[in-house]
Protein backbone atom coordinates (compact mmCIF):
# COMPACT_ATOMS: atom_id res chain seq x y z
CA UNK A 1 0.00 0.00 0.00
CA UNK A 2 2.86 2.38 0.78
CA UNK A 3 4.30 1.81 -2.69
CA UNK A 4 0.94 2.55 -4.33
CA UNK A 5 0.46 5.62 -2.14
CA UNK A 6 3.91 7.02 -3.01
CA UNK A 7 3.16 6.46 -6.70
CA UNK A 8 -0.26 8.12 -6.70
CA UNK A 9 0.29 11.03 -4.32
CA UNK A 10 2.24 13.15 -6.82
CA UNK A 11 -0.84 12.95 -9.04
CA UNK A 12 -3.47 13.51 -6.35
CA UNK A 13 -1.58 16.49 -4.94
CA UNK A 14 -1.43 18.17 -8.35
CA UNK A 15 -4.95 17.71 -9.67
CA UNK A 16 -6.41 20.52 -11.83
CA UNK A 17 -8.26 23.19 -9.86
CA UNK A 18 -11.76 22.29 -11.19
CA UNK A 19 -11.33 18.64 -10.17
CA UNK A 20 -9.93 19.62 -6.79
CA UNK A 21 -12.83 22.00 -6.18
CA UNK A 22 -15.34 19.33 -7.19
CA UNK A 23 -13.72 16.84 -4.82
CA UNK A 24 -13.88 19.35 -1.96
CA UNK A 25 -17.53 20.12 -2.61
CA UNK A 26 -18.52 16.43 -2.81
CA UNK A 27 -16.42 14.92 -0.03
CA UNK A 28 -15.69 17.90 2.21
CA UNK A 29 -12.18 19.03 3.22
CA UNK A 30 -11.64 16.26 5.78
CA UNK A 31 -12.61 13.27 3.61
CA UNK A 32 -10.97 14.80 0.55
CA UNK A 33 -7.70 14.94 2.47
CA UNK A 34 -8.13 11.40 3.79
CA UNK A 35 -9.13 9.68 0.54
CA UNK A 36 -7.47 11.79 -2.15
CA UNK A 37 -4.43 13.45 -0.62
CA UNK A 38 -3.46 10.85 1.99
CA UNK A 39 -4.92 7.92 0.00
CA UNK A 40 -6.16 6.25 3.17
CA UNK A 41 -8.94 3.75 2.32
CA UNK A 42 -9.24 2.58 5.93
CA UNK A 43 -11.54 5.45 6.93
CA UNK A 44 -14.97 3.76 6.86
CA UNK A 45 -17.06 6.97 7.27
CA UNK A 46 -15.24 8.63 4.37
CA UNK A 47 -15.56 5.52 2.21
CA UNK A 48 -19.31 5.37 2.88
CA UNK A 49 -19.61 9.04 1.97
CA UNK A 50 -17.65 8.52 -1.25
CA UNK A 51 -19.80 5.51 -2.22
CA UNK A 52 -22.96 7.48 -1.42
CA UNK A 53 -21.81 10.41 -3.55
CA UNK A 54 -20.91 8.08 -6.42
CA UNK A 55 -24.27 6.34 -6.27
CA UNK A 56 -26.09 9.66 -6.06
CA UNK A 57 -24.33 11.00 -9.14
CA UNK A 58 -25.02 7.71 -10.92
CA UNK A 59 -28.74 7.97 -10.12
CA UNK A 60 -28.87 11.54 -11.40
CA UNK A 61 -27.12 10.50 -14.59
CA UNK A 62 -29.47 7.54 -15.14
CA UNK A 63 -32.54 9.64 -14.32
CA UNK A 64 -31.82 11.90 -17.28
CA UNK A 65 -32.83 9.02 -19.60
CA UNK A 66 -34.88 6.72 -17.35
CA UNK A 67 -38.24 7.72 -18.88
CA UNK A 68 -37.02 8.12 -22.48
CA UNK A 69 -37.92 4.48 -23.40
CA UNK A 70 -41.42 5.10 -22.03
CA UNK A 71 -41.77 8.25 -24.12
CA UNK A 72 -40.55 6.38 -27.21
CA UNK A 73 -43.03 3.52 -26.64
CA UNK A 74 -45.92 5.96 -26.34
CA UNK A 75 -45.03 7.95 -29.45
CA UNK A 76 -44.42 4.84 -31.55
CA UNK A 77 -47.59 3.03 -30.49
CA UNK A 78 -49.79 6.16 -30.39
CA UNK A 79 -51.55 4.40 -27.52
CA UNK A 80 -51.78 5.02 -23.78
CA UNK A 81 -52.80 1.43 -23.05
CA UNK A 82 -51.62 0.22 -19.64
CA UNK A 83 -50.51 3.71 -18.50
CA UNK A 84 -52.27 5.41 -15.59
CA UNK A 85 -52.47 9.23 -15.86
CA UNK A 86 -53.43 9.44 -12.20
CA UNK A 87 -50.21 7.65 -11.29
CA UNK A 88 -48.11 10.23 -13.15
CA UNK A 89 -50.12 13.12 -11.72
CA UNK A 90 -49.53 11.96 -8.14
CA UNK A 91 -45.86 11.12 -8.72
CA UNK A 92 -45.09 14.45 -10.39
CA UNK A 93 -46.84 16.37 -7.61
CA UNK A 94 -44.78 14.44 -5.06
CA UNK A 95 -41.55 15.19 -6.92
CA UNK A 96 -42.25 18.92 -7.14
CA UNK A 97 -42.86 19.12 -3.39
CA UNK A 98 -39.72 17.09 -2.63
CA UNK A 99 -37.68 19.23 -5.02
CA UNK A 100 -38.75 22.45 -3.31
CA UNK A 101 -38.23 20.94 0.16
CA UNK A 102 -34.70 19.69 -0.59
CA UNK A 103 -33.61 22.92 -2.26
CA UNK A 104 -34.96 25.14 0.51
CA UNK A 105 -33.42 22.90 3.17
CA UNK A 106 -30.03 23.16 1.45
CA UNK A 107 -29.49 19.39 1.11
CA UNK A 108 -26.73 18.18 -1.26
CA UNK A 109 -27.87 18.08 -4.89
CA UNK A 110 -26.52 14.52 -5.21
CA UNK A 111 -29.25 13.36 -2.81
CA UNK A 112 -32.24 14.67 -4.76
CA UNK A 113 -31.16 15.88 -8.23
CA UNK A 114 -33.02 13.15 -10.08
CA UNK A 115 -36.39 14.47 -8.91
CA UNK A 116 -36.12 17.50 -11.20
CA UNK A 117 -35.08 15.43 -14.24
CA UNK A 118 -37.73 12.75 -13.72
CA UNK A 119 -40.44 15.36 -13.08
CA UNK A 120 -39.79 16.94 -16.49
CA UNK A 121 -40.02 13.54 -18.20
CA UNK A 122 -43.18 12.74 -16.23
CA UNK A 123 -44.84 15.89 -17.54
CA UNK A 124 -44.07 14.82 -21.12
CA UNK A 125 -45.45 11.31 -20.52
CA UNK A 126 -48.59 12.60 -18.79
CA UNK A 127 -49.27 14.96 -21.70
CA UNK A 128 -48.83 12.11 -24.19
CA UNK A 129 -51.20 9.91 -22.19
CA UNK A 130 -53.82 12.68 -22.22
CA UNK A 131 -53.33 13.23 -25.95
CA UNK A 132 -53.65 9.58 -26.88
CA UNK A 133 -56.69 9.32 -24.62
CA UNK A 134 -58.43 12.10 -26.56
CA UNK A 135 -58.06 14.78 -23.86
CA UNK A 136 -55.70 17.28 -25.49
CA UNK A 137 -57.23 20.25 -23.68
CA UNK A 138 -56.49 18.73 -20.28
CA UNK A 139 -52.78 18.59 -21.11
CA UNK A 140 -52.53 22.40 -21.17
CA UNK A 141 -54.44 22.67 -17.90
CA UNK A 142 -52.13 20.07 -16.36
CA UNK A 143 -48.93 21.94 -17.34
CA UNK A 144 -50.22 25.34 -16.19
CA UNK A 145 -51.36 23.87 -12.87
CA UNK A 146 -47.97 22.27 -12.19
CA UNK A 147 -46.08 25.46 -13.12
CA UNK A 148 -48.22 27.51 -10.75
CA UNK A 149 -47.78 25.01 -7.93
CA UNK A 150 -43.99 24.92 -8.44
CA UNK A 151 -43.78 28.71 -8.29
CA UNK A 152 -45.79 28.77 -5.05
CA UNK A 153 -43.63 26.07 -3.42
CA UNK A 154 -40.49 28.21 -3.81
CA UNK A 155 -42.12 31.36 -2.40
CA UNK A 156 -41.64 31.66 1.35
CA UNK A 157 -44.42 34.24 1.49
CA UNK A 158 -46.85 31.71 0.00
CA UNK A 159 -45.57 28.43 1.46
CA UNK A 160 -43.36 28.81 4.55
CA UNK A 161 -41.02 26.06 5.79
CA UNK A 162 -43.49 24.80 8.37
CA UNK A 163 -46.15 24.29 5.74
CA UNK A 164 -43.58 22.85 3.34
CA UNK A 165 -42.54 20.30 5.97
CA UNK A 166 -46.14 19.16 6.23
CA UNK A 167 -46.36 19.02 2.45
CA UNK A 168 -43.19 16.91 2.36
CA UNK A 169 -44.81 14.45 4.74
CA UNK A 170 -47.76 14.36 2.37
CA UNK A 171 -45.42 14.03 -0.61
CA UNK A 172 -44.18 10.73 0.79
CA UNK A 173 -47.79 9.52 0.87
CA UNK A 174 -48.35 10.85 -2.66
CA UNK A 175 -45.23 9.09 -3.91
CA UNK A 176 -46.43 5.82 -2.47
CA UNK A 177 -50.01 6.37 -3.65
CA UNK A 178 -48.78 7.17 -7.17
CA UNK A 179 -47.77 3.53 -7.64
CA UNK A 180 -51.16 2.16 -6.59
CA UNK A 181 -53.12 3.29 -9.72
CA UNK A 182 -50.41 1.86 -11.98
CA UNK A 183 -50.38 -1.45 -10.09
CA UNK A 184 -54.18 -1.56 -10.30
CA UNK A 185 -54.17 -0.74 -14.04
CA UNK A 186 -51.73 -3.56 -14.81
CA UNK A 187 -53.73 -6.03 -12.71
CA UNK A 188 -57.08 -4.96 -14.21
CA UNK A 189 -55.86 -5.19 -17.81
CA UNK A 190 -53.92 -8.39 -17.24
CA UNK A 191 -50.81 -7.00 -18.88
CA UNK A 192 -48.32 -4.14 -18.79
CA UNK A 193 -49.36 -2.65 -22.15
CA UNK A 194 -47.05 0.23 -23.10
CA UNK A 195 -45.35 0.33 -19.68
CA UNK A 196 -41.55 0.45 -20.06
CA UNK A 197 -39.62 -2.34 -18.32
CA UNK A 198 -36.49 -0.17 -18.40
CA UNK A 199 -38.22 2.54 -16.37
CA UNK A 200 -39.77 0.08 -13.90
CA UNK A 201 -36.54 -1.73 -13.04
CA UNK A 202 -34.53 1.48 -12.93
CA UNK A 203 -37.03 2.85 -10.42
CA UNK A 204 -36.60 -0.27 -8.31
CA UNK A 205 -32.80 0.01 -8.23
CA UNK A 206 -32.92 3.78 -7.82
CA UNK A 207 -35.28 3.71 -4.84
CA UNK A 208 -33.11 1.09 -3.10
CA UNK A 209 -29.99 3.17 -3.73
CA UNK A 210 -31.71 6.29 -2.44
CA UNK A 211 -32.35 4.55 0.90
CA UNK A 212 -28.59 4.12 1.26
CA UNK A 213 -27.66 7.66 0.19
CA UNK A 214 -30.32 9.17 2.47
CA UNK A 215 -29.04 7.20 5.45
CA UNK A 216 -25.51 8.42 4.73
CA UNK A 217 -26.09 12.07 3.90
CA UNK A 218 -29.53 13.29 4.95
CA UNK A 219 -30.75 13.19 8.52
CA UNK A 220 -34.43 13.46 7.63
CA UNK A 221 -36.84 10.62 8.42
CA UNK A 222 -39.60 12.08 6.23
CA UNK A 223 -37.48 11.55 3.12
CA UNK A 224 -36.18 8.16 4.26
CA UNK A 225 -39.63 6.69 4.95
CA UNK A 226 -40.83 7.88 1.56
CA UNK A 227 -38.01 6.03 -0.21
CA UNK A 228 -38.60 2.86 1.83
CA UNK A 229 -42.31 2.81 1.01
CA UNK A 230 -41.59 3.66 -2.62
CA UNK A 231 -39.16 0.76 -2.88
CA UNK A 232 -41.80 -1.66 -1.58
CA UNK A 233 -44.35 -0.62 -4.23
CA UNK A 234 -41.71 -0.47 -6.96
CA UNK A 235 -40.92 -4.08 -6.08
CA UNK A 236 -44.59 -5.02 -6.60
CA UNK A 237 -44.66 -3.24 -9.97
CA UNK A 238 -41.43 -4.97 -11.02
CA UNK A 239 -42.93 -8.33 -9.98
CA UNK A 240 -45.96 -7.59 -12.17
CA UNK A 241 -43.65 -6.75 -15.06
CA UNK A 242 -42.00 -10.16 -14.71
CA UNK A 243 -45.30 -12.01 -14.23
CA UNK A 244 -46.99 -10.44 -17.28
CA UNK A 245 -43.82 -10.39 -19.41
CA UNK A 246 -45.15 -12.65 -22.21
CA UNK A 247 -48.85 -11.87 -21.87
CA UNK A 248 -50.51 -10.31 -24.95
CA UNK A 249 -51.63 -6.72 -24.70
CA UNK A 250 -55.27 -5.84 -24.15
CA UNK A 251 -55.56 -4.40 -27.66
CA UNK A 252 -54.30 -7.63 -29.26
CA UNK A 253 -56.60 -9.72 -27.06
CA UNK A 254 -59.60 -7.61 -28.07
CA UNK A 255 -58.71 -7.91 -31.75
CA UNK A 256 -58.36 -11.67 -31.36
CA UNK A 257 -61.72 -11.97 -29.64
CA UNK A 258 -63.34 -9.78 -32.26
CA UNK A 259 -62.02 -11.90 -35.12
CA UNK A 260 -63.16 -15.11 -33.39
CA UNK A 261 -66.65 -13.72 -32.84
CA UNK A 262 -66.73 -12.55 -36.45
CA UNK A 263 -65.81 -16.03 -37.71
CA UNK A 264 -68.47 -17.62 -35.53
CA UNK A 265 -71.05 -15.16 -36.79
CA UNK A 266 -70.06 -15.78 -40.41
CA UNK A 267 -70.18 -19.52 -39.87
CA UNK A 268 -73.63 -19.45 -38.36
CA UNK A 269 -74.97 -17.14 -41.06
CA UNK A 270 -73.53 -19.41 -43.77
CA UNK A 271 -75.05 -22.49 -42.18
CA UNK A 272 -78.51 -20.93 -41.88
CA UNK A 273 -78.50 -19.72 -45.47
CA UNK A 274 -77.36 -22.99 -47.05
CA UNK A 275 -79.54 -25.44 -45.10
CA UNK A 276 -82.87 -24.41 -46.67
CA UNK A 277 -81.39 -24.36 -50.17
CA UNK A 278 -80.86 -28.13 -50.03
CA UNK A 279 -84.62 -28.67 -50.23
CA UNK A 280 -85.02 -26.08 -52.95
CA UNK A 281 -82.55 -27.42 -55.48
CA UNK A 282 -83.39 -27.37 -59.17
CA UNK A 283 -85.97 -30.01 -60.20
CA UNK A 284 -85.16 -32.61 -62.89
CA UNK A 285 -88.78 -33.29 -63.84
CA UNK A 286 -89.99 -31.88 -67.13
CA UNK A 287 -92.93 -29.55 -66.95
CA UNK A 288 -95.92 -30.11 -69.27
Amino acid sequence: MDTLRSTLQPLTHNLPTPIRSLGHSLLGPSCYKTLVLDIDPTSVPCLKLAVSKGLGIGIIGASSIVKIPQIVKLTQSQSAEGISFLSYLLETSSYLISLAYNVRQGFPFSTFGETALIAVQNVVIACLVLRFSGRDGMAAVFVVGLATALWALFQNGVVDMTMLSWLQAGAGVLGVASKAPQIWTVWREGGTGQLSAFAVFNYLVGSLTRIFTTLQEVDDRLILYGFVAGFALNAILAAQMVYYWNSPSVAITKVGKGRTEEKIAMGSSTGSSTSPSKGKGPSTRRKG
Side-chain angles (χ1 to χ4, degrees), residues 166-181:
W166 283 104
L167 288 174
Q168 176 60 34
V173 178
L174 280 178
V176 172
S178 70
K179 303 298 178 185

Side-chain angles (χ1 to χ4, degrees), residues 10-193:
L11 297 175
T12 60
H13 280 260
N14 293 282
L15 291 172
T17 301
I19 297 178
R20 192 164 58 248
S21 299
L22 179 62
H24 272 279
S25 64
L26 289 175
L27 301 175
S30 177
C31 283
Y32 180 83
K33 181 179 182 300
T34 300
L35 296 177
V36 180
L37 299 180
D38 297 340
I39 311 181
D40 179 13
T42 60
S43 175
V44 175
C46 286
L47 279 177
K48 286 184 177 180
L49 177 61
V51 170
S52 177
K53 291 294 185 181
L55 290 173
I57 293 171
I59 291 174
I60 294 172
S63 69
S64 63
I65 62 168
V66 67
K67 295 297 184 78
I68 298 300
Q70 183 66 80
I71 294 171
V72 170
K73 286 193 74 173
L74 284 169
T75 52
Q76 287 181 343
S77 66
Q78 300 285 298
S79 168
E81 175 199 342
I83 309 296
S84 168
F85 170 74
L86 178 59
S87 177
Y88 277 94
L89 173 63
L90 294 176
E91 184 180 66
T92 306
S93 301
S94 170
Y95 277 7
L96 293 184
I97 294 170
S98 294
L99 178 63
Y101 180 78
N102 279 277
V103 171
R104 291 176 62 176
Q105 287 281 43
F107 292 142
F109 183 74
S110 61
T111 63
F112 68 89
E114 75 278 3
T115 57
L117 297 173
I118 295 177
V120 172
Q121 295 170 76
N122 276 355
V123 171
V124 175
I125 292 171
C127 289
L128 288 174
V129 169
L130 288 172
R131 179 186 175 189
F132 297 141
S133 302
R135 294 177 288 174
D136 290 0
M138 285 298 297
V141 176
F142 171 67
V143 173
V144 172
L146 287 181
T148 304
L150 184 61
W151 173 84
L153 288 169
F154 279 93
Q155 303 300 314
N156 192 55
V158 180
V159 179
D160 60 20
M161 282 308 301
T162 302
M163 184 183 296
L164 189 58
S165 296
W166 283 104
L167 288 174
Q168 176 60 34
V173 178
L174 280 178
V176 172
S178 70
K179 303 298 178 185
Q182 186 62 70
I183 292 170
W184 166 254
T185 299
V186 171
W187 180 82
R188 183 190 63 199
E189 297 190 0
T192 54

Side-chain angles (χ1 to χ4, degrees), residues 206-282:
S207 57
L208 178 60
T209 305
R210 270 295 170 230
I211 294 174
F212 176 78
T213 61
T214 302
L215 286 170
Q216 295 303 313
E217 301 184 58
V218 179
D219 185 17
D220 195 312
R221 296 297 174 185
L222 288 176
I223 295 177
L224 177 63
Y225 295 153
F227 283 131
V228 171
F231 172 75
L233 290 184
N234 281 331
I236 295 175
L237 198 54
Q240 285 184 314
M241 181 64 70
V242 173
Y243 182 77
Y244 292 115
W245 190 265
N246 292 319
S247 64
S249 67
V250 177
I252 294 175
T253 305
K254 287 180 178 178
V255 170
K257 286 182 178 179
R259 288 178 178 173
T260 303
E261 291 172 358
E262 185 179 341
K263 287 181 180 179
I264 294 173
M266 289 178 64
S268 60
S269 63
T270 303
S272 61
S273 61
T274 54
S275 56
S277 64
K278 291 180 180 179
K280 294 183 179 181

